[in-house]
Amino acid sequence: MSLCKIFKLALIPALLSLGSCDNFLDVVPKGVVIPQTLADYEALLSAPLVVTRTSNNAIYATDEIILPEANRAAAGGYPGRHAVNTYDYLPEHYDVSENDEDWNAAYKAIYTFNTVIQGIADNKEADQIKKNRLKGESLVHRAFTYLSLVNQYAKHYSSAASEDLGVPLPLKPDINALLPRSTVAEVYRQIESDLLESIGLLPESPTYRQRPSKGAALGLLARMYLYEGNWEKSFDYANQTLAINNFVYDYNTFSYADPNNRRGALNGYPTSMNDKKHVIFNKYLLKVGALDFQFQIAPAQYALYKTGDLRELFGTSPKGYTSALLAFQGVLETNGAYEYNNGGVTTQEIYLIRAEAAARLNRIPEALESLNYLRQRRFTTATFKALASNDKNEVLDWVLNERRIELAFLCHRLIDIKRLNLEGRNIGINRGEKVIQPNAPRMVFPIPAKNISVNPNLVQNPR
């Protein structure tokens, strides 16, 4: 299928969001292909700007970064004023005239996935293997998107999940539906259902990293059950994921082509996403540093790097794009081994999920095995020392600390703060002289005012 046709298909969700729904139903836009064939559905799932993009704004709402006062004007440029609003924990991030791009992009993508799922059910072509794969991919994409949405715009999963409001849960491509918010529990059960169904439809490994596979479905189940606090299932699905792909790069094999230029070529690490063996599922994530490192690493976050930690060397930079020294260390955006632009699933995340679930289950040997396997590949040979303890709480603290370092700047931290505060860890977020208190309502993002204005069934989160 031509690239032109793919983009025409990819435009359908955007076109449906514009103008009158009745007008669209009366007249098919000239030059737009209405998907009917398996090739059409393949093209819809191949549109990177629709299906691969994931949420971004949660990066700005954590204790991982700071926005120096002198950088505020510049930060309102490339990353946008809304990134600054999010960072400042304002009651509204977008006003009623503006689009919340995280919300809108997610629901445009969900419309695409629903279109494919429904279309596959009605399709009469004989290629059942392809039908299964396309449906399975759509189910994983949809589950991933809902897991991102519900953890951004709702309270964290808890004993009150059946009462707490989650997000709207459209499962059919109905552009006229004005759905209310389903509960957090309902959203999680749909995510679980989608992922479990997809497992039997997909190949173990993807042809391309942005295409979901059985490994991606298993990995997302491990993540979802971790968020729920279902440690047994999280541990089990982490093991199943690692049985398919357990590759972790050893940072001791990396080096900069120019030792004085951290933004230059990195020897030993592929530049193509499809060649990166640790990536189970790629989802495109905008980068936190933005054009000139307006947002920088918080000193407390930077202090987590210990002597010999190669993640500091290959994931941070003392210079901006102009090569001028920064006021404080910045997030390395180009060529870094941290993969800041992959918001999907990696083997290192799965090792950490396995380690946390094992620690919480008091399976200390398994927790330490996963933890030390990862850390050995992150510290220099001379400085690595295996962690050892029989204390469940100490091992759990080590795992959570490792998550803060290994998964930094990838939209994991805000979810971790919300879930860990439910167990009394009391993690607040400093914003200059202001402190966002643990469990503060504003740790849950506002439902976009513009969407509430056109859908009276949407209820705003407490501010």
Side-chain angles (χ1 to χ4, degrees):
M1 177 172 289
S2 70
L3 185 61
C4 179
K5 188 173 182 182
I6 290 175
F7 278 110
K8 286 178 180 177
L9 287 167
L11 282 171
I12 289 175
L15 287 167
L16 294 180
S17 69
L18 301 174
S20 166
C21 295
D22 291 337
N23 288 343
F24 177 85
L25 295 173
D26 291 340
V27 181
V28 176
K30 184 178 180 180
V32 173
V33 178
I34 302 303
Q36 294 179 318
T37 68
L38 294 182
D40 292 337
Y41 300 130
E42 181 93 70
L44 278 175
L45 295 178
S46 302
L49 297 180
V50 177
V51 303
T52 307
R53 184 196 184 280
T54 188
S55 59
N56 181 69
N57 286 337
I59 297 174
Y60 301 106
T62 75
D63 54 0
E64 298 170 322
I65 60 170
I66 56 170
L67 177 59
E69 193 64 35
N71 296 20
R72 281 186 169 268
Y78 182 77
R81 176 174 58 83
H82 312 108
V84 180
N85 293 347
T86 305
Y87 176 85
D88 285 336
Y89 274 83
L90 297 187
E92 299 284 348
H93 301 166
Y94 298 82
D95 67 36
V96 72
S97 69
E98 298 171 318
N99 292 320
D100 181 332
E101 290 304 322
D102 276 8
W103 178 281
N104 282 9
Y107 278 104
K108 286 178 183 179
I110 287 168
Y111 182 92
T112 298
F113 309 141
N114 288 341
T115 296
V116 175
I117 291 167
Q118 181 169 299
I120 293 294
D122 297 334
N123 184 272
K124 304 302 182 185
E125 294 174 65
D127 191 344
Q128 191 60 46
I129 292 176
K130 189 170 187 178
K131 285 183 180 181
N132 288 347
R133 177 176 60 80
L134 293 175
K135 181 180 181 181
E137 288 182 7
S138 298
L139 289 168
V140 174
H141 275 302
R142 187 169 73 179
F144 181 99
T145 307
Y146 276 130
L147 191 60
S148 297
L149 280 168
V150 77
N151 279 290
Q152 193 163 322
Y153 296 96
K155 292 181 180 180
H156 193 77
Y157 191 98
S158 71
S159 58
S162 59
E163 288 85 36
D164 289 337
L165 290 179
V167 293
L169 196 61
L171 301 177
K172 295 181 179 179
D174 181 358
I175 60 176
N176 294 305
L178 296 175
L179 298 178
R181 297 171 64 181
S182 297
T183 67
V184 171
E186 288 169 337
V187 177
Y188 266 75
R189 295 291 65 81
Q190 186 61 50
I191 293 166
E192 179 183 45
S193 174
D194 282 356
L195 293 173
L196 290 173
E197 183 179 359
S198 73
I199 291 171
L201 302 175
L202 292 167
E204 282 200 349
S205 301
T207 305
Y208 300 101
R209 302 291 180 191
Q210 75 273 17
R211 289 199 175 277
S213 62
K214 181 178 179 180
L218 295 169
L220 285 172
L221 280 164
R223 179 191 290 184
M224 184 206 73
Y225 287 126
L226 186 86
Y227 291 169
E228 277 192 24
N230 190 332
W231 315 124
E232 289 281 3
K233 286 190 175 181
S234 183
F235 182 78
D236 177 47
Y237 280 102
N239 280 331
Q240 290 187 52
T241 309
L242 294 173
I244 294 174
N245 182 2
N246 62 4
F247 182 88
V248 176
Y249 282 100
D250 185 344
Y251 285 12
N252 286 281
T253 64
F254 297 164
S255 64
Y256 286 112
D258 178 356
N260 297 314
N261 181 14
R262 291 195 185 187
R263 293 177 48 247
L266 186 63
N267 297 327
Y269 190 56
T271 56
S272 168
M273 178 60 70
N274 212 45
D275 293 333
K276 294 174 180 177
K277 299 178 183 179
H278 69 295
V279 176
I280 296 171
F281 183 31
N282 177 46
K283 280 284 191 176
Y284 181 72
L285 180 72
L286 296 178
K287 303 167 188 174
V288 67
L291 188 60
D292 288 306
F293 295 94
Q294 294 97 340
F295 291 89
Q296 292 166 25
I297 301 174
Q301 175 72 28
Y302 189 71
L304 296 175
Y305 298 114
K306 303 305 180 185
T307 301
D309 194 333
L310 294 168
R311 289 169 293 196
E312 189 277 334
L313 176 63
F314 296 121
T316 74
S317 174
K319 296 180 179 180
Y321 281 98
T322 62
S323 295
L325 283 173
L326 300 168
F328 197 74
Q329 204 79 353
V331 180
L332 181 61
E333 293 188 345
T334 56
N335 300 321
Y338 249 126
E339 280 306 333
Y340 293 134
N341 63 346
N342 174 30
V345 181
T346 61
T347 54
Q348 50 259 44
E349 180 196 354
I350 302 302
Y351 271 105
L352 288 168
I353 288 174
R354 182 182 187 270
E356 181 177 345
R360 291 183 180 277
L361 292 167
N362 205 27
R363 300 175 70 161
I364 303 304
E366 289 99 326
L368 290 172
E369 176 188 37
S370 290
L371 190 59
N372 285 321
Y373 182 86
L374 177 62
R375 294 181 73 257
Q376 187 173 14
R377 288 155 179 77
R378 296 296 183 261
F379 282 81
T380 63
T381 304
T383 57
F384 171 73
K385 182 179 180 181
L387 299 175
S389 174
N390 291 317
D391 186 323
K392 170 184 174 179
N393 292 326
E394 183 176 36
V395 173
L396 178 58
D397 287 344
W398 287 341
V399 174
L400 295 176
N401 184 74
E402 205 65 28
R403 280 184 68 91
R404 289 196 63 184
I405 303 170
E406 185 69 32
L407 303 181
F409 321 117
L410 294 173
C411 282
H412 293 274
R413 179 59 178 164
L414 183 60
I415 299 171
D416 281 353
I417 289 173
K418 289 165 65 177
R419 70 186 180 93
L420 294 174
N421 279 342
L422 289 178
E423 59 185 54
R425 288 184 178 261
N426 297 319
I427 304 168
I429 297 175
N430 295 319
R431 291 293 182 257
E433 296 181 358
K434 179 174 70 174
V435 177
I436 310 303
Q437 296 296 331
N439 300 310
R442 291 189 192 179
M443 283 191 181
V444 178
F445 280 20
I447 304 299
K450 185 173 183 179
N451 296 83
I452 291 177
S453 73
V454 298
N455 181 358
N457 295 317
L458 288 177
V459 177
Q460 182 58 278
N461 288 316
R463 311 312 302 147

